[in-house]
Amino acid sequence: MAPVADVVGVLAVQGDFEKHLVAFRRCGVPDDRLRLVKTTEHLAGVDRLVLPGGESTTVGLLLQRFGLGPALIEFAQEGKPMWGTCMGMIMMAARVEDRKQYSLGVLDVTVRRNAFGAQVHSFEVDVPFKPLDETVTGVFIRAPIVVESGPAVEVLSEYEGKVVAVRQGNLVGTSFHPELTDDTSLHRWFLGL
Ligand code: GLN
């Protein structure tokens, strides 16, 4: 677990950020150590940060409008833990396949958006998660996958041969949404990074 003094931030410009707060509370993080991040000022003093699920084109536009992008890039480059779930992983990616859209570019991967097909937008399945040595429940909602990654990127989970979780040092991306399950094991793991 993280030292109690750690401040845990959740990017809160759009998406399911509240669900992450609930998960961290259930991990025992006190409210005065939780911060919703909407501006660069909110990021000051945050030790680890989650980018939630949502809509990556919308969030990309908002990050540019609020000028928050460069501060998030700096946060990642300082080596502070950052975890993107679904849209959050797209936002962290260096490349989005077949599209020109804003992303932070800190995670050396190419992501494919909505990779599980148009007709099946949402499903739940147990997926292996290497660092925990056990499966976790993966909630996939119009989920992306990682189709290509650089040498510094470690694959943490695959589902049907598709890469659905990665880590590059302090940076973690998951295609799925642990914040939408009762299982807080990934949140606990993230707090220990
Ligand atoms: N399909 C969304 C996007 O590409 C991501 C969906 C999600 O975060 N659940 O932005």
Side-chain angles (χ1 to χ4, degrees):
M1 280 290 274
V4 179
D6 259 20
V7 173
V8 183
V10 183
L11 183 70
V13 298
Q14 188 266 343
D16 76 335
F17 49 87
E18 287 286 352
K19 301 283 186 195
H20 278 289
L21 284 191
V22 172
F24 283 124
R25 278 191 197 112
R26 292 177 56 213
C27 292
V29 181
D31 272 339
D32 65 350
R33 297 289 163 200
L34 288 172
R35 183 121 358 125
L36 288 178
V37 174
K38 295 174 196 276
T39 66
T40 46
E41 289 74 37
H42 295 160
L43 200 57
V46 171
D47 299 299
R48 50 189 75 229
L49 182 71
V50 166
L51 278 54
E55 193 52 46
S56 60
T57 43
T58 307
V59 172
L61 290 172
L62 293 172
L63 290 185
Q64 290 177 86
R65 186 173 303 166
F66 300 163
L68 197 51
L72 293 174
I73 293 168
E74 200 182 308
F75 185 96
Q77 288 173 348
E78 280 170 353
K80 295 175 183 163
M82 180 187 273
W83 172 22
T85 58
C86 201
M87 175 283 283
M89 179 169 78
I90 299 170
M91 200 47 56
M92 290 168 70
R95 295 162 299 275
V96 180
E97 190 182 57
D98 295 334
R99 290 189 67 109
K100 258 200 164 0
Q101 69 177 73
Y102 179 83
S103 67
L104 302 174
V106 291
L107 186 61
D108 188 12
V109 298
T110 305
V111 292
R112 177 180 301 159
R113 290 178 64 192
N114 305 322
F116 291 98
Q119 73 278 31
V120 186
H121 294 303
S122 174
F123 60 95
E124 201 173 305
V125 70
D126 283 351
V127 293
F129 190 71
K130 221 167 109 188
L132 293 177
D133 225 3
E134 60 185 40
T135 60
V136 295
T137 306
V139 177
F140 293 80
I141 303 171
R142 298 178 61 225
I145 57 169
V146 172
V147 289
E148 189 189 57
S149 55
V153 176
E154 183 192 355
V155 172
L156 301 184
S157 180
E158 284 180 79
Y159 168 64
E160 290 187 339
K162 299 180 173 88
V163 174
V164 293
V166 291
R167 175 175 181 181
Q168 177 189 323
N170 56 311
L171 308 176
V172 178
T174 57
S175 301
F176 48 90
H177 292 267
E179 75 281 11
L180 297 181
T181 71
D182 289 337
D183 181 3
T184 53
S185 54
L186 253 79
H187 287 81
R188 286 176 198 280
W189 172 75
F190 176 70
L191 290 172
L193 286 187

